[in-house]
mmCIF file of all heavy atoms in Angstrom:
data_model
loop_
_atom_site.group_PDB
_atom_site.id
_atom_site.type_symbol
_atom_site.label_atom_id
_atom_site.label_comp_id
_atom_site.label_asym_id
_atom_site.label_seq_id
_atom_site.Cartn_x
_atom_site.Cartn_y
_atom_site.Cartn_z
ATOM 1 N N VAL H 35 -26.423 -34.567 -11.145
ATOM 2 C CA VAL H 35 -25.285 -33.690 -11.405
ATOM 3 C C VAL H 35 -24.232 -34.002 -10.362
ATOM 4 O O VAL H 35 -24.504 -33.928 -9.126
ATOM 5 C CB VAL H 35 -25.682 -32.165 -11.335
ATOM 6 C CG1 VAL H 35 -24.470 -31.320 -11.592
ATOM 7 C CG2 VAL H 35 -26.748 -31.866 -12.335
ATOM 8 N N LYS H 36 -23.026 -34.335 -10.803
ATOM 9 C CA LYS H 36 -21.924 -34.689 -9.971
ATOM 10 C C LYS H 36 -20.679 -33.908 -10.296
ATOM 11 O O LYS H 36 -20.566 -33.324 -11.364
ATOM 12 C CB LYS H 36 -21.655 -36.189 -9.989
ATOM 13 C CG LYS H 36 -22.770 -37.044 -9.506
ATOM 14 C CD LYS H 36 -22.962 -36.893 -7.972
ATOM 15 C CE LYS H 36 -24.100 -37.790 -7.519
ATOM 16 N NZ LYS H 36 -24.371 -37.688 -5.988
ATOM 17 N N ARG H 37 -19.725 -33.888 -9.404
ATOM 18 C CA ARG H 37 -18.486 -33.160 -9.656
ATOM 19 C C ARG H 37 -17.414 -34.207 -10.031
ATOM 20 O O ARG H 37 -17.450 -35.418 -9.583
ATOM 21 C CB ARG H 37 -18.021 -32.437 -8.426
ATOM 22 C CG ARG H 37 -19.060 -31.374 -8.031
ATOM 23 C CD ARG H 37 -18.366 -30.041 -7.696
ATOM 24 N NE ARG H 37 -19.281 -28.986 -7.511
ATOM 25 C CZ ARG H 37 -19.525 -28.035 -8.424
ATOM 26 N NH1 ARG H 37 -18.935 -28.014 -9.531
ATOM 27 N NH2 ARG H 37 -20.426 -27.096 -8.138
ATOM 28 N N THR H 38 -16.429 -33.755 -10.816
ATOM 29 C CA THR H 38 -15.305 -34.547 -11.203
ATOM 30 C C THR H 38 -14.627 -35.202 -9.988
ATOM 31 O O THR H 38 -14.434 -34.488 -8.998
ATOM 32 C CB THR H 38 -14.274 -33.729 -11.985
ATOM 33 O OG1 THR H 38 -14.932 -33.170 -13.101
ATOM 34 C CG2 THR H 38 -13.083 -34.576 -12.457
ATOM 35 N N GLY H 39 -14.402 -36.527 -10.077
ATOM 36 C CA GLY H 39 -13.764 -37.231 -8.985
ATOM 37 C C GLY H 39 -14.678 -37.888 -7.986
ATOM 38 O O GLY H 39 -14.233 -38.748 -7.194
ATOM 39 N N GLU H 40 -15.976 -37.502 -8.048
ATOM 40 C CA GLU H 40 -16.925 -38.089 -7.114
ATOM 41 C C GLU H 40 -17.218 -39.569 -7.485
ATOM 42 O O GLU H 40 -17.092 -39.934 -8.673
ATOM 43 C CB GLU H 40 -18.261 -37.385 -7.134
ATOM 44 C CG GLU H 40 -18.284 -36.113 -6.289
ATOM 45 C CD GLU H 40 -19.669 -35.584 -6.163
ATOM 46 O OE1 GLU H 40 -20.461 -36.118 -5.333
ATOM 47 O OE2 GLU H 40 -20.037 -34.607 -6.889
ATOM 48 N N LYS H 41 -17.574 -40.394 -6.500
ATOM 49 C CA LYS H 41 -17.998 -41.722 -6.763
ATOM 50 C C LYS H 41 -19.543 -41.669 -6.963
ATOM 51 O O LYS H 41 -20.213 -41.083 -6.137
ATOM 52 C CB LYS H 41 -17.667 -42.677 -5.592
ATOM 53 C CG LYS H 41 -17.849 -44.093 -5.899
ATOM 54 C CD LYS H 41 -17.200 -44.961 -4.821
ATOM 55 C CE LYS H 41 -17.285 -46.481 -5.126
ATOM 56 N NZ LYS H 41 -16.595 -47.300 -4.175
ATOM 57 N N VAL H 42 -20.003 -42.297 -8.039
ATOM 58 C CA VAL H 42 -21.402 -42.155 -8.463
ATOM 59 C C VAL H 42 -22.014 -43.551 -8.519
ATOM 60 O O VAL H 42 -21.426 -44.484 -9.068
ATOM 61 C CB VAL H 42 -21.552 -41.460 -9.803
ATOM 62 C CG1 VAL H 42 -23.022 -41.336 -10.212
ATOM 63 C CG2 VAL H 42 -20.852 -40.053 -9.814
ATOM 64 N N PHE H 43 -23.164 -43.717 -7.939
ATOM 65 C CA PHE H 43 -23.919 -44.928 -7.993
ATOM 66 C C PHE H 43 -25.153 -44.715 -8.754
ATOM 67 O O PHE H 43 -26.009 -43.830 -8.414
ATOM 68 C CB PHE H 43 -24.310 -45.419 -6.563
ATOM 69 C CG PHE H 43 -23.060 -45.762 -5.760
ATOM 70 C CD1 PHE H 43 -22.410 -44.823 -5.021
ATOM 71 C CD2 PHE H 43 -22.697 -47.091 -5.707
ATOM 72 C CE1 PHE H 43 -21.292 -45.217 -4.222
ATOM 73 C CE2 PHE H 43 -21.604 -47.502 -4.915
ATOM 74 C CZ PHE H 43 -20.891 -46.537 -4.227
ATOM 75 N N LEU H 44 -25.413 -45.545 -9.776
ATOM 76 C CA LEU H 44 -26.740 -45.551 -10.474
ATOM 77 C C LEU H 44 -27.396 -46.880 -10.208
ATOM 78 O O LEU H 44 -26.783 -47.913 -10.469
ATOM 79 C CB LEU H 44 -26.467 -45.380 -11.958
ATOM 80 C CG LEU H 44 -25.753 -44.065 -12.453
ATOM 81 C CD1 LEU H 44 -25.629 -43.997 -13.915
ATOM 82 C CD2 LEU H 44 -26.432 -42.831 -11.886
ATOM 83 N N GLU H 45 -28.607 -46.842 -9.760
ATOM 84 C CA GLU H 45 -29.347 -48.016 -9.376
ATOM 85 C C GLU H 45 -30.399 -48.361 -10.403
ATOM 86 O O GLU H 45 -31.131 -47.475 -10.968
ATOM 87 C CB GLU H 45 -29.979 -47.796 -8.037
ATOM 88 C CG GLU H 45 -29.063 -47.431 -6.924
ATOM 89 C CD GLU H 45 -28.206 -48.619 -6.415
ATOM 90 O OE1 GLU H 45 -28.647 -49.753 -6.615
ATOM 91 O OE2 GLU H 45 -27.103 -48.395 -5.865
ATOM 92 N N CYS H 46 -30.612 -49.704 -10.591
ATOM 93 C CA CYS H 46 -31.605 -50.107 -11.541
ATOM 94 C C CYS H 46 -32.359 -51.337 -10.857
ATOM 95 O O CYS H 46 -31.674 -52.215 -10.344
ATOM 96 C CB CYS H 46 -30.975 -50.573 -12.828
ATOM 97 S SG CYS H 46 -32.157 -51.287 -14.007
ATOM 98 N N VAL H 47 -33.676 -51.332 -10.907
ATOM 99 C CA VAL H 47 -34.458 -52.410 -10.363
ATOM 100 C C VAL H 47 -35.518 -52.854 -11.354
ATOM 101 O O VAL H 47 -36.126 -52.019 -11.966
ATOM 102 C CB VAL H 47 -35.131 -51.913 -9.023
ATOM 103 C CG1 VAL H 47 -36.010 -53.016 -8.468
ATOM 104 C CG2 VAL H 47 -34.161 -51.422 -8.000
ATOM 105 N N GLN H 48 -35.616 -54.128 -11.466
ATOM 106 C CA GLN H 48 -36.671 -54.737 -12.364
ATOM 107 C C GLN H 48 -37.548 -55.690 -11.502
ATOM 108 O O GLN H 48 -37.017 -56.340 -10.618
ATOM 109 C CB GLN H 48 -36.109 -55.471 -13.585
ATOM 110 C CG GLN H 48 -34.941 -56.432 -13.296
ATOM 111 C CD GLN H 48 -35.403 -57.902 -13.173
ATOM 112 O OE1 GLN H 48 -36.593 -58.195 -13.369
ATOM 113 N NE2 GLN H 48 -34.490 -58.729 -12.882
ATOM 114 N N ASP H 49 -38.799 -55.748 -11.919
ATOM 115 C CA ASP H 49 -39.783 -56.474 -11.060
ATOM 116 C C ASP H 49 -40.315 -57.735 -11.719
ATOM 117 O O ASP H 49 -41.319 -58.258 -11.289
ATOM 118 C CB ASP H 49 -40.913 -55.554 -10.684
ATOM 119 C CG ASP H 49 -41.809 -55.098 -11.892
ATOM 120 O OD1 ASP H 49 -41.404 -55.460 -13.032
ATOM 121 O OD2 ASP H 49 -42.791 -54.459 -11.725
ATOM 122 N N MET H 50 -39.612 -58.221 -12.774
ATOM 123 C CA MET H 50 -40.094 -59.353 -13.490
ATOM 124 C C MET H 50 -39.264 -60.586 -13.358
ATOM 125 O O MET H 50 -39.382 -61.525 -14.163
ATOM 126 C CB MET H 50 -40.283 -58.988 -14.976
ATOM 127 C CG MET H 50 -41.469 -57.983 -15.173
ATOM 128 S SD MET H 50 -43.023 -58.683 -14.612
ATOM 129 C CE MET H 50 -43.301 -59.963 -15.847
ATOM 130 N N ASP H 51 -38.361 -60.622 -12.415
ATOM 131 C CA ASP H 51 -37.525 -61.838 -12.199
ATOM 132 C C ASP H 51 -36.659 -62.158 -13.395
ATOM 133 O O ASP H 51 -36.340 -63.315 -13.643
ATOM 134 C CB ASP H 51 -38.448 -63.049 -11.830
ATOM 135 C CG ASP H 51 -37.643 -64.089 -11.065
ATOM 136 O OD1 ASP H 51 -36.774 -63.769 -10.255
ATOM 137 O OD2 ASP H 51 -37.955 -65.319 -11.293
ATOM 138 N N HIS H 52 -36.307 -61.188 -14.177
ATOM 139 C CA HIS H 52 -35.420 -61.382 -15.322
ATOM 140 C C HIS H 52 -33.979 -61.741 -14.868
ATOM 141 O O HIS H 52 -33.494 -61.139 -13.941
ATOM 142 C CB HIS H 52 -35.370 -60.155 -16.208
ATOM 143 C CG HIS H 52 -36.664 -59.897 -16.943
ATOM 144 N ND1 HIS H 52 -36.838 -58.787 -17.645
ATOM 145 C CD2 HIS H 52 -37.829 -60.544 -16.947
ATOM 146 C CE1 HIS H 52 -38.060 -58.800 -18.175
ATOM 147 N NE2 HIS H 52 -38.626 -59.876 -17.750
#
Side-chain angles (χ1 to χ4, degrees):
Chain H
V35 180
K36 295 291 181 182
R37 298 225 173 255
T38 302
E40 280 193 77
K41 191 168 186 175
V42 181
F43 293 86
L44 302 180
E45 302 285 338
C46 175
V47 177
Q48 49 96 2
D49 66 355
M50 290 301 291
D51 202 35
H52 290 176

